[in-house]
Amino acid sequence: MSYWRVTSSFLLARARPRLLQTLRPPSTMNECRKNTNITANNNTILCDKTISKKHLFLEKRSMSSHTDDTKDSKATQDLPNPQELTPQDRLAIEERQNKAFAFFAETLQIYGVEELIFCFNGGKDCTVLLDLLMRFLRQQNISSGDIPMLYIKSGDSFAEIDDFVKRCVRNYRVELVQYEGSLKEALTHMSADMPRIRAVFVGSRNTDPYCQHLAPMQPTDNDWPPMMRLNPLLEWSYHDVWHYIHMNSVPYCSLYDRGYTSIGNRSNTIPNPHLRSTDAQCACDTDTANTDTVCSCDPSGYRPAWELEDATMERAGRLPRK
């Protein structure tokens, strides 16, 4: 899933002084944000506790105080694995995971935990990043709330994404930081509201548009707030992501069960046409007594995201910009 464009607009309440910036190596962030999206989110996320700042909302939730969601999560993880993984698949994912953990450890040699934040949009790539990071923090006896979740709201979101993000906040017990507007605007306001933050984890993969030349640690461009962009999933493939999710029974947004493979906003995302079900893909039985045919799936529906064979078609459900 990719991150760097949102469709909502945001008027600043007052002008902020421009942040002093130092010269940094040029990066491809400006190119990467042209065609990538932060998954749309609306402003319906409710906070148990809100710290009032002009552009900032903070939220802390406890899994134990939301029994319905906890049961929901357990039920999801008790489901049988829908994807059969070979021993080679499992070994490859274990290697990916170990490299990610090594990346997190290296990051903590450079930055303090209080200097980090991670970007989340409810998509499959960010979901893997969230789960990996939380597992690593548990191993290190670091609280899940010590590295906040950055979430950018929009009025063009899928309700399923909004619900899933709220569920992740509760179940992983993370601190939620919300802004409106573009990523650049959000980072600008965050830099002013939370000046201690120096680096942000992002779930970009090098198969995302214009992101093939990103480095694992990539400074933001000179016209952005000075920050290090941390990309632990760059080398992960589309199928790596789904193998990890199924191998570790990680809950994910329900849109992926309905043929969505790359989720942006409601106005620019449809189910992937390469996953449309056909009569041959539906199990149908004919009742010889009354000649009625009963099918186990809707022939006009879509197969789940992980059944996409050609990973280069991941974004086939993204509509072109008008």
Side-chain angles (χ1 to χ4, degrees):
M1 185 91 186
S2 32
Y3 299 83
W4 300 103
R5 179 176 61 84
V6 294
T7 58
S8 63
S9 60
F10 186 65
L11 299 178
L12 304 184
R14 60 182 178 85
R16 293 187 181 273
R18 189 172 180 83
L19 296 173
L20 295 178
Q21 298 179 351
T22 58
L23 291 178
R24 283 160 286 117
S27 77
T28 58
M29 177 172 287
N30 276 333
E31 288 186 308
C32 188
R33 64 188 168 90
K34 289 178 184 176
N35 283 350
T36 54
N37 288 24
I38 288 198
T39 301
N41 309 291
N42 64 22
N43 57 3
T44 59
I45 294 184
L46 303 178
C47 300
D48 294 334
K49 296 182 180 179
T50 300
I51 300 176
S52 297
K53 290 188 177 182
K54 190 165 291 292
H55 308 287
L56 175 64
F57 305 88
L58 294 179
E59 179 183 51
K60 286 188 177 180
R61 305 250 184 148
S62 170
M63 189 192 305
S64 60
S65 63
H66 296 268
T67 55
D68 291 341
D69 285 306
T70 305
K71 292 176 182 177
D72 236 9
S73 177
K74 187 177 187 302
T76 301
Q77 300 207 11
D78 285 345
L79 290 175
N81 190 335
Q83 192 175 31
E84 293 296 329
L85 302 181
T86 67
Q88 292 78 11
D89 290 335
R90 294 180 178 276
L91 180 60
I93 295 307
E94 288 174 2
E95 291 176 352
R96 294 286 194 210
Q97 174 184 302
N98 291 338
K99 287 183 178 179
F101 282 11
F103 182 89
F104 296 149
E106 179 184 359
T107 299
L108 290 181
Q109 294 296 316
I110 303 172
Y111 301 100
V113 173
E114 71 282 356
E115 297 176 309
L116 300 171
I117 197 167
F118 69 94
C119 211
F120 188 74
N121 60 14
K124 62 186 183 303
D125 303 331
C126 284
T127 297
V128 169
L129 172 61
L130 170 63
D131 192 75
L132 281 167
L133 184 58
M134 294 301 108
R135 290 175 62 193
F136 175 79
L137 294 181
R138 284 196 297 271
Q139 287 186 7
Q140 302 299 313
N141 294 317
I142 299 173
S143 170
S144 60
D146 286 353
I147 300 181
M149 172 194 288
L150 174 61
Y151 179 62
I152 299 181
K153 304 191 297 180
S154 167
D156 191 28
S157 62
F158 285 95
E160 292 88 346
I161 287 288
D162 294 330
D163 292 342
F164 180 65
V165 171
K166 288 188 285 186
R167 178 180 165 189
C168 286
V169 170
R170 291 191 291 266
N171 290 355
Y172 286 99
R173 304 178 187 179
V174 295
E175 179 184 281
L176 179 63
V177 180
Q178 295 184 114
Y179 291 93
E180 293 179 335
S182 68
L183 179 62
K184 185 175 181 179
E185 290 170 334
L187 291 180
T188 299
H189 298 313
M190 186 195 70
S191 295
D193 292 326
M194 306 173 70
R196 72 181 188 276
I197 301 297
R198 297 176 53 209
V200 54
F201 288 107
V202 184
S204 296
R205 293 183 289 117
N206 57 23
T207 53
D208 293 334
Y210 299 98
C211 297
Q212 62 268 35
H213 300 304
L214 288 177
M217 293 190 180
Q218 181 97 31
T220 52
D221 293 324
N222 289 329
D223 59 340
W224 283 57
M227 195 155 309
M228 185 63 73
R229 181 182 178 184
L230 306 171
N231 304 295
L233 302 185
L234 279 181
E235 297 180 358
W236 288 55
S237 71
Y238 176 83
H239 292 111
D240 286 339
V241 169
W242 283 112
H243 288 168
Y244 177 89
I245 287 173
H246 291 141
M247 182 172 164
N248 294 283
S249 300
V250 179
Y252 55 87
C253 178
S254 61
L255 289 173
Y256 292 111
D257 289 331
R258 308 206 300 270
Y260 290 85
T261 54
S262 177
I263 302 173
N265 306 319
R266 289 179 299 173
S267 60
N268 69 0
T269 310
I270 61 173
N272 193 313
H274 296 279
L275 288 174
R276 182 183 290 276
S277 298
T278 65
D279 289 337
Q281 293 165 327
C282 295
C284 300
D285 295 319
T286 300
D287 186 341
T288 55
N290 55 21
T291 68
D292 288 339
T293 300
V294 179
C295 295
S296 62
C297 69
D298 178 3
S300 64
Y302 293 81
R303 293 176 288 129
W306 57 85
E307 291 190 14
L308 183 69
E309 295 182 5
D310 185 355
T312 64
M313 295 292 103
E314 176 183 356
R315 295 178 64 86
R318 291 294 191 100
L319 302 177
R321 281 190 272 179
K322 298 179 180 179

